[in-house]
Amino acid sequence: MIRTPGQALVMGAGAVGCWVGGRLQAAGAQVQFVGRPSVLEDLRLLGLTLTDLDGRRTHLAPAALRLHAEVPEASRGGPDAPALVLLCVKSGATAEAAALLSLHLPPGTPVLSLQNGIGNPAVAAAAAPALQVIPGMVGFNVVRASPGHWHRGTWGTLAAEAHPALQAWLPTFAASGLPLALHADLRPVQWGKLLLNLNNPVNALSGLPLKRQLLDRDLRIVMAALIDEALAALAAHGIEPAQVASLPPRRMPQGLRLPNWLFRIVARKSLNMDDQARTSMAEDVARGRPTEIDALCGEVVRLARAAGLRAPCNEWMQERLSRPTPGRMSGREMRAALRL
Ligand SMILES: NC(=O)c1ccc[n+]([C@@H]2O[C@H](COP(=O)([O-])OP(=O)(O)OC[C@H]3O[C@@H](n4cnc5c(N)ncnc54)[C@H](OP(=O)(O)O)[C@@H]3O)[C@@H](O)[C@H]2O)c1
């Protein structure tokens, strides 16, 4: 069994939290999960099952899981003090979750934000100034397949900003099959991921699984327009986004606009995903929950405005996905609404 630097605590036992926390536990780490009562009930009854697009299946029995409805009290150096927290809540829940962590955990506890968007680590740090918040990035897609069961439907990596607290965890992440790539500055990686996440509102509005949506050229044209606006805003600020997908960021809009037959060839690697994979924003819309649109398109709109630019397609998506029921639209309807 691998030696780990201590316990990990998952704050937000959902798709990312259960997936990453479950894999770390399967690799030998001690993991505590903090989640909502309904999720914990399923885990207590059924255990935690993780599957992936490779056909790999991991099961952790109910008795092996340490589940909490609230952040467990821990004192500095105490046996239950986590050596690493994985912050895995949606953007809208970040401030509250970070404040709760700060209330119950010793000052200086490292908190790795495994959230999408750019601003979550800063929001968490502001709500919990005594903790050490570290930006992270999850490059793959996980959905809840059934109670207690999460499925990883795409490939992708795990990355974080280099921090001394993470060094000792690298062998555990590697052993879990989720090697953690460290970057001196994660911002370009976060922006590279955000460009990909601009597909989330398109996917959510289309109501289609990711693969079918990506094979619809009208929907790809909408995504290309969202990315174009983001690239213009980034260029205006001198920010060079990192390559997170198979194409360099600046070539993504061009690639997305290709005819279907050519796109299938160029994007062969990216299309290697489950037929049923969907974005987490599609899940949120399906369940009537607030979306993370402000952390994605909203971030682009703000960046553009700060440079004296406009990002009208991102503005439109931001408004639409902020509605309680955004509805469904075909690619043609979206193009017409956006005048593309
Ligand atoms: N899913 C993916 O494929 C994926 C991939 C890359 C990145 N991400 C990012 O990862 C983050 C998490 O996404 P997710 O899909 O894992 O979300 P999720 O499945 O909704 O999981 C988050 C869980 O945390 C719970 N939660 C929120 N506040 C809490 C609190 N104070 N105490 C206990 N539990 C709390 C949520 O409950 P409520 O719903 O009741 O609030 C939910 O059950 C997001 O920023 C997302 O963009 C997701």
Side-chain angles (χ1 to χ4, degrees):
M1 189 144 293
I2 192 149
R3 268 181 74 86
T4 61
Q7 299 196 33
L9 182 140
V10 168
M11 183 60 181
V16 166
C18 284
W19 180 269
V20 178
R23 290 299 292 266
L24 290 178
Q25 180 163 335
Q30 283 188 10
V31 182
Q32 307 192 55
F33 296 87
V34 179
R36 298 299 191 200
S38 61
V39 176
L40 301 183
E41 222 172 275
D42 292 339
L43 292 170
R44 262 186 209 112
L45 200 65
L46 304 163
L48 173 58
T49 302
L50 307 173
T51 52
D52 68 21
L53 68 166
D54 238 4
R56 183 156 49 162
R57 186 175 186 278
T58 305
H59 181 73
L60 299 169
L65 299 173
R66 300 175 71 197
L67 307 170
H68 307 275
E70 280 168 20
V71 181
E73 201 68 42
S75 51
R76 192 193 285 271
D80 278 338
L84 182 65
V85 174
L86 305 176
L87 181 57
C88 303
V89 299
K90 288 271 167 77
S91 303
T94 301
E96 189 192 332
L100 288 169
L101 290 169
S102 171
L103 206 60
H104 298 288
L105 301 183
T109 302
V111 176
L112 176 60
S113 157
L114 290 180
Q115 303 164 284
N116 276 331
I118 309 296
N120 279 309
V123 171
L131 305 180
Q132 298 185 61
V133 181
I134 310 165
M137 191 280 306
V138 177
F140 48 83
N141 175 263
V142 181
V143 290
R144 182 176 170 275
S146 61
H149 174 193
W150 279 268
H151 180 75
R152 172 175 167 167
T154 67
W155 295 111
T157 53
L158 207 54
E161 198 151 284
H163 188 283
L166 294 178
Q167 281 300 333
W169 282 94
L170 297 183
T172 312
F173 276 96
S176 76
L178 299 171
L180 184 62
L182 299 184
H183 298 257
D185 177 10
L186 196 70
R187 205 147 257 249
V189 178
Q190 289 175 299
W191 274 112
K193 176 72 197 305
L194 190 142
L195 294 177
L196 298 182
N197 283 141
L198 292 179
N199 191 43
N200 290 16
V202 184
N203 178 251
L205 275 187
S206 77
L208 296 173
L210 255 177
K211 197 166 178 172
R212 270 181 63 200
Q213 178 239 311
L214 285 170
L215 289 171
D216 179 321
R217 184 164 181 266
D218 289 317
L219 293 168
R220 291 202 308 276
I221 285 171
V222 175
M223 183 183 174
L226 296 170
I227 295 177
D228 271 337
E229 291 178 357
L231 288 172
L234 287 166
H237 288 272
I239 302 170
E240 194 57 54
Q243 179 170 348
V244 174
S246 50
L247 275 181
R250 301 220 166 264
R251 285 179 48 205
M252 275 166 34
Q254 191 189 358
L256 288 165
R257 290 186 174 103
L258 290 173
N260 272 339
W261 68 270
L262 195 51
F263 180 76
R264 274 180 189 275
I265 298 170
V266 173
R268 202 177 52 247
K269 221 168 123 193
S270 311
L271 289 171
N272 180 15
M273 64 173 76
D274 270 2
D275 289 343
Q276 292 313 313
R278 284 170 200 268
T279 60
S280 58
M281 191 174 287
E283 297 266 303
D284 288 337
V285 168
R287 291 205 221 153
R289 299 194 307 188
T291 68
E292 290 188 296
I293 195 69
D294 188 65
L296 303 176
C297 292
E299 199 72 58
V300 175
V301 170
R302 288 188 287 277
L303 190 76
R305 282 194 190 136
L309 299 172
R310 290 267 326 271
C313 295
N314 280 278
E315 279 173 28
W316 186 90
M317 283 296 180
Q318 188 182 15
E319 189 279 321
R320 183 93 198 190
L321 271 299
S322 300
R323 295 182 193 176
T325 47
R328 284 197 178 173
M329 289 176 92
S330 70
R332 278 183 182 219
E333 287 168 336
M334 278 186 231
R335 282 183 69 178
L338 292 168
R339 300 205 175 97
L340 294 173

